Structures are given as C-alpha cells and as structure tokens.
Amino acid sequence: MNERTDHDMLDDVAVYALGALPAGEARRVRRHIAGCELCRDEYARLQATASLVGATAATQGDARDCPGTLLKPRIMRAIREQAQPLKVRNAAPRAWPAYLVAAACIAIAIVSSVANIALTGQYRQAQEELARTRQQSTAASQTLLATRTTLNDLVSSDAKRYPIDNGEIVTRSGRLYVAMRSLPQPPRGKVYQAWTLAKGAKKVAPSLTFVPDERGVAVIAIPVDARGLAAVALSVEPDGGSKQPTTKPIAVVPLT
Amino acid sequence: MIEDAGALMARVRERDTNAFESIYDANHRLVYGVALRMLGDAPGAEDVTQAVFLKIWNAPDLFRGGNFAAWIVRVTRNRALDVLRSRTRSEGELPEALPEQETLEDVAFARIDAERVRAALAALPPEQREPIELGFFGGITHEEIARRCKIPLGTIKTRIRTGLRKLRAALDETVPA
C-alpha cells in the first residue's frame, strides 16, 4: 500500500469507526481492515473515541431529560418474571416443556415481538406446562396466552411449513414465524436478520434481528401479514441489522 | 468502573437481578440520553432504553469485556438506528462491535466523565464537530453529511478523521492518572 492509499483508507476507516459509511463501503473497509495492521490499529483507537461521543448525550438528572419513573419498575418486573421460570426449567428434566416455559417468559420482555420458544409436536404436554405456569403468576398468564397462540400456530396441522437448514419457516392464518432448532451462534458482532419480499416487490424489506439461545433455538414472530409475501430470507448481518442484506442469505424461502 | 461492570455482568449471566439493577442504575442516563439525542422524542427513547436493558438481560454474553460504557453506547446506537431506519429508511451500516481486547486506553477512557468528553467535543472546530455529531447521532452516511454541510465528500471524511484524532488527543491529556 502506498502512502496516498494509506491516507485515503485512513479517512475511510475514521468514517467507518463513526458508523457513517454506507453498506457497500463499510464492507470494503472491513475487508481492508482485516488485512492491514495500520488501519486496524487506527480503527480500534477511533472507534473507542467515537463511542465516547455518545457519552456526551448522557442525561444529567434534569427530570425532562430522564426516563419516566415507571420505566425502571417495568424493566425490573419483566426480568424478574423471566428469572423465576428459569429455575423451573432447571428443575424439569423434560426438555421440550421446560423449554416452553423459558420461552414464554422471554416473550414477556421482548417488546420487539421477538420471542424465543420451543418447537414441539407434543402439544398436550405444552398445554399442561403452560397451564401450570399460568397458576404461578397471573401476570405471566397473560403473556402465556399470547405465547400459546404462537404455539398453536407452530404445532397446528394446518400450518404451512417450509423446511430450511436448522429449522423451518411456518405460516398460519397470515402469521409468519422463523423457527430454528439448532442454529449456530452468529460470528462475534453479528446477528441473524430476517427479510421479507412482498408480492410484486423487487427488493426485500428488513425485518427483525435475532440470535439463538445457547441451545441454538430461536422462534421469531415476524410482524407482517404472510399472505402478502412472496418469500422470506435470512442472513447474517452486523449487530443492529442492515437496511439491505450485506451477506449471502443462509436461507431463501419462496412462500406458496 | 470497568471492573465493576465486568463483575456485574458476570453476575447477570448467573441471572442475578440485583446485579442487573446496579447496571441499570449506573447506565440508564447514558442509554436514555443517547436514544433521546438520536430519536428526539421521549417515548421512543424509553422504548430503546427498555430494549437495550432487556437485551443485556437476555443476552449478557454479547458483552465480551472491554469498556462497558463504550459497548452499551454502541448497543444503544444500533437499536436507535433500527428505529430511525424504520422511520426514514435511511442508508447506513454500522461498524462491528468494539475490539474484544481491553486496552489501557479503554481503562483510561472509563475514568472520563461525560462532562470532560463534552468539553473536548465542544473545543473542536465546528467544521469538525458537526460532521462527527451528525454521523454519530444522526445515523446518516458521510454522503448525506456532505450534502447537508455542502462540503465535498473527501473534505468531510478528512474532517471526521481529524476531529476524532483531536478528540482522542484531548481526552488523552485529561485522563486522570
């Protein structure tokens, strides 16, 4: 690399560290950084500095600049409701029902509608497990009802299933799920992202990002009417997601 | 601070709600502040704040050491950018996560309070400070920054780099021993 090229790339590295490069240029810079020690060091320094720019936005205690007083109780209630059933999961030797309990509790807190739940053909066991969990917590029961809708969809005989590696795409009554059983963890700093292609559209639309749990399981309820879709795709993207796929999709599923 | 956060996150991985609460108390103003600055509305900022902390609870392994404050800023920015994308369909791609290795610089930066960073940023010439703030909080690309500032793209890139390097140098000087 000559001196001029060094200089040009270092400017790009700085913009990349700030998070202000478009997708294509970001890929180019990322590839370059991987093989250039000079730019890699510059990136490490400037990214840490760029992150500190965010620190200037920290609020100072003025009530107008602070989150509402109800936010903390809401968050703490959500995580405590999740923490409790995890103990149930550890105590239960059967994998699928316990998994459903953990999934139901995760659904309480994931406001982005991403829910991690288990797939199972043993619907009777699922219902029993869900019933027991409802008795433990009135608040949790409301969420479990919503989760049961998802479970009903996933195990229903009239659901449409589109097998893919490590899982399947499921649709029922316009609802759409990405259900993965043994999905590897994405590379560091990456997440999986779902994409939808509307009928008649030429470009995919970005949807939810997710990572599987430690068992490689994730079920994502995609907030879109599946009846208006031509296809669903999955790809690995930078944490936070992308507007357009930046990697080759790991699955592309035409919906019929 | 950085050691405390690392130890707290280890307890969060063990499902310790008290540790999580400590992390919330120490960082919620930072998270909310970044979200508020980027989104410009309190309800949206609260939604992002909630999403960020639930992510910390649900996926604590995503934090792999280093400067916790810098990491949580990135997580917050990414989440707020998701919201901005859904509102405006703007361009832009985020850098990867912070370097995994903790450096002396991270430790030093962890000792700097927000006021010092504000002062260092405010001391930059406007032509360097503005594109940095637009790029970080505005969630827009350098091309959009150049259009808004009516400055050639190459000049904008150079100003961003120069500004970041000056900011880094200024903070290096103000890091307490």
Side-chain angles (χ1 to χ4, degrees):
Chain A
M1 182 187 301
N2 60 39
E3 186 172 337
R4 173 175 170 72
T5 305
D6 275 351
H7 180 268
D8 289 346
M9 284 306 299
L10 288 172
D11 280 353
D12 286 342
V13 166
V15 180
Y16 176 64
L18 190 63
L21 277 186
E25 290 189 52
R27 279 197 299 274
R28 176 177 60 82
V29 172
R30 198 158 48 235
R31 281 196 300 268
H32 174 81
I33 287 174
C36 174
E37 186 174 354
L38 175 68
C39 289
R40 191 161 55 245
D41 290 345
E42 180 80 347
Y43 171 67
R45 283 192 295 269
L46 295 187
Q47 192 191 33
T49 307
S51 294
L52 284 171
V53 173
T56 65
T59 54
Q60 298 299 296
D62 186 321
R64 293 169 303 173
D65 296 331
C66 292
T69 55
L70 295 179
L71 181 60
K72 180 180 176 181
R74 191 164 76 221
I75 292 174
M76 293 306 300
R77 185 168 57 248
I79 67 124
R80 286 185 174 121
E81 286 170 350
Q82 289 182 52
Q84 181 62 31
L86 285 176
K87 297 175 182 175
V88 175
R89 181 194 67 186
N90 292 336
R94 293 175 299 161
W96 282 118
Y99 188 76
L100 291 173
V101 172
C105 297
I106 290 172
I108 292 171
I110 306 299
V111 295
S112 60
S113 81
V114 175
N116 292 301
I117 62 172
L119 293 175
T120 177
Q122 304 172 18
Y123 184 41
R124 179 183 299 274
Q125 288 183 337
Q127 286 181 311
E128 293 171 353
E129 192 73 25
L130 288 171
R132 282 195 293 274
T133 305
R134 282 202 302 273
Q135 292 171 0
Q136 294 172 356
S137 169
T138 301
S141 69
Q142 294 175 348
T143 300
L144 290 172
L145 286 172
T147 304
R148 191 169 65 176
T149 300
T150 301
L151 291 171
N152 276 327
D153 288 340
L154 293 174
V155 302
S156 173
S157 59
D158 62 356
K160 284 190 176 181
R161 303 175 188 285
Y162 305 87
I164 58 178
D165 284 348
N166 304 314
E168 59 187 355
I169 305 296
V170 180
T171 64
R172 187 189 186 216
S173 301
R175 293 182 289 273
L176 171 65
Y177 304 93
V178 177
M180 309 304 291
R181 291 190 181 88
S182 54
L183 189 64
Q185 290 297 319
R188 189 165 297 173
K190 304 286 187 179
V191 296
Y192 290 101
Q193 184 166 6
W195 306 88
T196 58
L197 180 66
K199 291 177 180 175
K202 295 181 178 178
K203 289 185 176 180
V204 294
S207 188
L208 300 175
T209 61
F210 63 98
V211 293
D213 68 10
E214 68 274 13
R215 291 160 292 191
V217 177
V219 174
I220 314 303
I222 304 294
V224 65
D225 189 339
R227 290 167 292 203
L229 296 182
V232 177
L234 300 176
S235 67
V236 176
E237 301 295 332
D239 188 12
S242 302
K243 183 191 173 190
Q244 296 176 341
T246 61
T247 64
K248 182 181 178 182
I250 62 172
V252 178
V253 182
L255 303 179
T256 57
Chain B
M1 174 62 186
I2 188 170
E3 293 174 357
D4 290 345
L8 288 170
M9 285 302 289
R11 289 165 55 194
V12 168
R13 291 187 190 94
E14 300 299 319
R15 319 307 286 172
D16 184 332
T17 57
N18 291 329
F20 175 85
E21 186 170 9
S22 297
I23 285 179
Y24 179 89
D25 289 342
N27 295 281
H28 73 283
R29 292 185 193 284
L30 175 60
V31 171
Y32 181 79
V34 171
L36 184 64
R37 177 77 179 270
M38 292 182 70
L39 301 179
D41 69 273
E46 284 202 358
D47 287 347
V48 167
T49 302
Q50 176 165 325
V52 167
F53 282 103
L54 291 179
K55 182 173 183 176
I56 288 172
W57 175 257
N58 288 312
D61 288 340
L62 292 178
F63 176 63
R64 297 183 171 96
N67 187 327
F68 183 80
W71 177 77
I72 203 171
V73 163
R74 286 278 162 186
V75 172
T76 304
R77 183 176 184 271
N78 287 344
R79 179 65 68 169
L81 278 175
D82 276 346
V83 176
L84 286 175
R85 280 196 189 104
S86 67
R87 290 177 179 176
T88 66
R89 300 291 180 188
S90 64
E91 294 286 339
E93 180 174 324
L94 304 176
E96 292 175 306
L98 283 167
E100 31 186 290
Q101 295 176 340
E102 178 181 329
T103 65
L104 290 176
E105 181 181 22
D106 288 327
V107 176
F109 278 160
R111 296 175 187 160
I112 298 175
D113 60 33
E115 198 51 50
R116 282 183 174 162
V117 184
R118 282 195 193 93
L121 190 61
L124 291 180
E127 64 269 22
Q128 293 169 7
R129 183 180 66 250
E130 288 170 7
I132 289 174
E133 290 185 320
L134 272 174
F136 191 89
F137 293 114
I140 59 177
T141 67
H142 61 342
E143 293 163 342
E144 179 61 22
I145 296 170
R147 276 194 293 272
R148 290 193 188 185
C149 297
K150 299 179 180 175
I151 301 292
L153 181 60
T155 305
I156 283 294
K157 290 196 288 188
T158 301
R159 287 180 178 179
I160 287 175
R161 181 181 174 223
T162 304
L164 286 177
R165 290 175 70 91
K166 281 185 180 177
L167 182 60
R168 169 184 154 79
L171 293 173
D172 277 343
E173 292 175 0
T174 59
V175 173

